[in-house]
Amino acid sequence: MTDARRDDIRNVAIIAHVDHGKTTLVDGMLKQSHIFRESQVLEERMLDSNALERERGITILAKNTAVTYRGTKINIIDTPGHADFGGEVERVLLMADGVLLIIDAVEGPMPQTYFVLKKALELNLKPVVVINKVDRAAARVDEVLEEVSDLFLELATDEAQLDFPVLYASGREEWAAESLDAPRTDLVPLFESILSQVPPPAGDPEAPLQLLVTTLDYDSYRGRYAIGRISRGTLRPAQPVVVLTPTGESVAAQVNQVYLYQGLTRQEVREARAGDIVALTGMDAVGIGDTIADPEHPEALPRIAVSEPTIKMTFGVSTSPFSGREGTWSTSRKLRERLYTELETNLSLRVHPTASADVFEVAGRGELHLAVLIENMRREGYEFQVSKPEAIIVELDGVKQEPWEHLSIDVAEEHVGTVVEHLGRRQATMTEMRNEGRGETHLEFDLPTRGLLGLRGSLLTATRGTVVMSSVFIGYRPLAGPIASDRPGAMIATDTGPATGYAIQNAQERGITFIPPGTPVYEGMIVGANSRGTDLPINICKEKKLTNMRSSNADATVRLTPPLILSLDQSLDFITDDELVEVTPKSIRLRKKLLTDNERSRARKG
């Protein structure tokens, strides 16, 4: 066997913090590789094909694409930029030999930059740093480059990793350059850097087959696709293989079709060799982390290790009076089926049964990780209810510990005091504060994950929507003290029926309402936020009593403030321990766990 390297291929992952321009830069690489027809209509963020990704403007799922430059095929692995989807990043990096680290020329390295670079350097992947958006007026290129160097000094596992090439780019304008003074014409310097800096993949095509499955895909025509990089050997259609499972079992199988990536499509091929990233059909029992191997030499590759979840919540069958009206799937059997199916592709997720057959505990990497699962399920027709997210407490060496996060915040100077006050109540410790010189201040904190729950909505309100924040998990520490809640009380419906304008007008004298007139409500449903800190039962269905004919037209006109319609993320932030979010394909409702006032009174008395 030889450790041959294929000089006709490069496998590179693109990693970045969310909103640093990674997907836009990939758009430019696809366009300048001339894989599209001149008349073809192209959308922005071509790899963000998932509807939820387009709505949220972030990459959620890792994806593969490929371009050809000067006779060399470049396999590009696009990874999520949000820390909650770090599990996607951890597994797909195993297919790469190098990484493009994209960093915003204004924001500089952020928490997720730290996380993804740490994982890449641990795997000894060759980094190419791209400082993106240098065309922005507020760009601070020299300072950002210094911050990147400091980050490498902190994370490097080998002295050679400190010698990294740097490019300057504008993904939106589709150019890259080796220096700020170089011509800004196209992305050729980026392609050239990939060819010269990222090592070709190693692997003997004549050796027995080995492939680690890192991703699964599915279509109704061909069934399940097993996606991974061939570590050694050769694959052909109709080739017999074995699937090596986590239990050590060897399952005989046969490959149906072999696909390679080119542009946004998969192309069926007669042969793929060591170093290729392939998609295979015909193996319905395969899972992420399994090894596909030669039947005569069934040798397993090391399984994928993914960081454990830090947040948990319950998913349960809806017990709302409106249950079954708006969803296709609402039984515990269907809910269980869907959650356990998600485990096949979502490696960072955990699902555990509870004492109730209708309720499941679901753990993930963060609020957004779980919110995306909830949103996908409701779009698929599921109807269910979820509890408030809470941090997972563990016991290490006999001491109870909780997850902690490193939080970065950029906010206008006039709101710095407000932000510091909010974080102080959440057991946060400030680790850095610097004035960016453009009316903004950059703050960094360490705080318990508990302190992050509900923080985003609270800070957005307090800073009039100007705060930008992001966080990354940094480890477990002993339990911090209690965290004060700044949530207002809830307005709770006492009757079932349609909400009336008259009742909503009265409610708005007490606080903010969440529903417009005519909305069907039930007893125990949360219809608004009380300006005081206590819960307020309210008859939101009450109608104005008819009097005599002296009422004027003006008397019949009800003037209402538009309601605050909470999104799913805002709803999860708003609820407390004794409340639930009811999720259906058409509605998101907030409710008390105990619907009647009598039940809640008895519970309070113990």
Side-chain angles (χ1 to χ4, degrees):
M1 296 183 192
T2 61
D3 189 28
R5 288 187 176 269
R6 292 182 56 185
D7 204 41
D8 63 335
I9 195 169
R10 298 291 188 278
N11 295 321
V12 61
I14 299 194
I15 57 177
H17 185 84
V18 66
D19 204 31
H20 279 201
K22 166 180 55 63
T23 308
T24 305
L25 192 64
V26 174
D27 280 359
M29 296 174 72
L30 289 168
K31 291 174 187 174
Q32 293 190 21
S33 64
H34 307 295
I35 62 171
F36 303 111
R37 302 186 312 273
E38 288 187 13
S39 59
Q40 192 167 345
V41 178
L42 302 175
E43 296 180 328
E44 288 188 352
R45 306 198 325 270
M46 285 180 274
L47 286 187
D48 284 352
S49 51
N50 180 293
L52 203 51
E53 291 179 318
R54 288 196 164 275
E55 287 175 24
R56 290 179 177 265
I58 60 173
T59 302
I60 295 171
L61 302 172
K63 301 175 193 69
N64 296 83
T65 185
V67 299
T68 301
Y69 175 75
R70 288 206 296 113
T72 300
K73 182 174 187 177
I74 302 173
N75 284 311
I76 301 169
I77 306 157
D78 186 26
T79 64
H82 197 285
D84 282 17
F85 307 106
E88 290 276 316
V89 179
E90 289 180 75
R91 58 185 171 83
V92 299
L93 285 180
L94 296 171
M95 294 191 286
D97 297 295
V99 292
L100 293 183
L101 177 64
I102 316 297
I103 298 176
D104 190 298
V106 176
E107 294 184 353
M110 299 289 279
Q112 180 69 353
T113 314
Y114 176 98
F115 172 80
V116 293
L117 181 60
K118 182 173 185 288
K119 295 297 179 185
L121 294 181
E122 285 173 356
L123 292 170
N124 204 29
L125 303 181
K126 177 69 176 178
V128 176
V129 174
V130 180
I131 298 180
N132 194 27
K133 304 185 183 182
V134 297
D135 52 322
R136 291 177 63 182
R140 48 186 195 93
V141 179
D142 292 339
E143 296 96 317
V144 167
L145 182 55
E146 190 174 326
E147 291 167 12
V148 173
S149 299
D150 292 342
L151 189 61
F152 270 83
L153 275 171
E154 180 181 351
L155 298 178
T157 58
D158 186 293
E159 190 176 331
Q161 292 173 337
L162 299 176
D163 182 22
F164 54 89
V166 180
L167 294 173
Y168 306 91
S170 169
R172 185 166 294 279
E173 295 183 2
E174 299 179 9
W175 60 263
E178 294 182 354
S179 71
L180 291 172
D181 301 325
R184 303 179 174 187
T185 52
D186 52 33
L187 293 172
V188 166
L190 180 59
F191 289 122
E192 292 289 349
S193 290
I194 293 172
L195 263 58
S196 62
Q197 300 294 332
V198 176
D204 184 359
E206 304 302 324
L209 174 68
Q210 252 188 339
L211 179 150
L212 183 68
V213 179
T214 56
T215 310
L216 295 178
D217 200 357
Y218 181 86
D219 74 37
S220 55
Y221 181 62
R222 292 186 176 87
R224 179 173 294 188
Y225 290 86
I227 300 167
R229 169 178 155 179
I230 303 176
S231 297
R232 70 183 192 201
T234 303
L235 262 174
R236 300 179 184 89
Q239 180 174 327
V241 295
V242 292
V243 178
L244 306 177
T245 66
T247 60
E249 183 185 3
S250 298
V251 181
Q254 179 176 293
V255 175
N256 282 356
Q257 289 109 358
V258 179
Y259 294 89
L260 296 179
Y261 288 88
Q262 184 62 31
L264 302 178
T265 63
R266 299 187 183 112
Q267 295 181 348
E268 189 171 356
V269 295
R270 302 302 305 166
E271 181 182 276
R273 297 179 293 140
D276 281 324
I277 294 176
V278 296
L280 311 174
T281 64
M283 292 164 290
D284 291 338
V286 72
I288 291 176
D290 290 350
T291 299
I292 297 174
D294 182 83
E296 302 298 321
H297 302 84
E299 300 171 24
L301 288 162
R303 292 196 66 80
I304 297 171
V306 176
S307 303
E308 289 296 309
T310 56
I311 293 286
K312 65 180 180 181
M313 62 197 302
T314 62
F315 283 50
V317 172
S318 176
T319 56
S320 153
F322 294 168
S323 174
R325 294 187 183 183
E326 299 174 356
T328 306
W329 316 110
S330 56
T331 64
S332 59
R333 182 175 65 84
K334 281 292 182 182
L335 181 61
R336 175 190 171 87
E337 237 173 59
R338 177 62 180 82
L339 290 174
Y340 279 92
T341 300
E342 183 71 18
L343 293 178
E344 295 179 13
T345 55
N346 199 334
L347 291 197
S348 299
L349 200 73
R350 302 287 183 273
V351 178
H352 304 289
T354 66
S356 169
D358 294 338
V359 180
F360 303 89
E361 182 184 278
V362 181
R365 289 285 283 268
E367 282 184 281
L368 183 60
H369 185 202
L370 295 174
V372 165
L373 171 60
I374 295 167
E375 184 63 38
N376 281 330
M377 288 176 64
R378 72 183 285 255
R379 292 181 184 210
E380 293 165 16
Y382 287 85
E383 188 174 329
F384 54 101
Q385 60 192 27
V386 297
S387 68
K388 178 180 177 61
E390 56 180 291
I392 296 173
I393 309 299
V394 299
E395 192 166 306
L396 300 173
D397 300 324
V399 178
K400 285 191 174 181
Q401 302 200 18
E402 64 179 328
W404 278 63
E405 312 265 344
H406 183 71
L407 174 69
S408 292
I409 289 179
D410 290 288
V411 68
E413 289 176 3
E414 63 264 30
H415 297 304
V416 168
T418 302
V419 170
V420 172
E421 181 186 347
H422 271 70
L423 270 297
R425 295 202 298 266
R426 293 170 177 263
Q427 302 292 333
T429 303
M430 186 187 294
T431 59
E432 186 176 345
M433 177 178 179
R434 66 171 184 265
N435 192 311
E436 300 289 5
R438 53 181 191 278
E440 281 192 355
T441 301
H442 179 81
L443 305 164
E444 295 190 13
F445 299 86
D446 288 348
L447 79 164
T449 300
R450 283 185 298 137
L452 274 182
L453 302 177
L455 177 65
R456 186 179 299 275
S458 178
L459 283 186
L460 283 171
T461 302
T463 63
R464 299 178 186 175
T466 61
V467 71
V468 177
M469 56 183 283
S470 57
S471 64
V472 67
F473 171 67
I474 54 175
Y476 280 87
R477 298 181 185 177
L479 281 172
I483 291 175
S485 171
D486 51 8
R487 201 204 84 162
M491 292 186 191
I492 308 161
T494 58
D495 294 71
T496 298
T500 65
Y502 173 71
I504 290 176
Q505 184 182 43
N506 290 335
Q508 288 183 344
E509 295 175 4
R510 308 287 188 90
I512 299 168
T513 53
F514 297 157
I515 58 171
T519 303
V521 301
Y522 54 80
E523 183 181 6
M525 182 171 154
I526 297 171
V527 295
N530 186 13
S531 54
R532 299 184 178 182
T534 55
D535 287 348
L536 175 68
I538 189 167
N539 183 359
I540 205 73
C541 307
K542 186 176 182 180
E543 296 182 354
K544 185 176 182 181
K545 291 282 191 294
L546 295 175
T547 56
N548 54 32
M549 299 302 292
R550 289 185 294 109
S551 297
S552 66
N553 289 335
D555 192 38
T557 304
V558 176
R559 298 182 182 276
L560 299 176
T561 304
L564 173 62
I565 306 297
L566 297 181
S567 66
L568 174 62
D569 301 60
Q570 290 170 326
S571 298
L572 294 174
D573 279 350
F574 182 83
I575 61 172
T576 59
D577 294 336
D578 68 334
E579 295 165 356
L580 298 168
V581 177
E582 178 192 348
V583 180
T584 79
K586 296 180 181 178
S587 309
I588 294 172
R589 303 185 185 97
L590 280 65
R591 52 161 288 187
K592 288 290 184 180
K593 285 182 179 178
L594 302 175
L595 293 178
T596 69
D597 191 45
N598 285 340
E599 290 175 315
R600 294 193 295 274
S601 296
R602 283 198 297 270
R604 283 194 295 270
K605 291 173 183 175

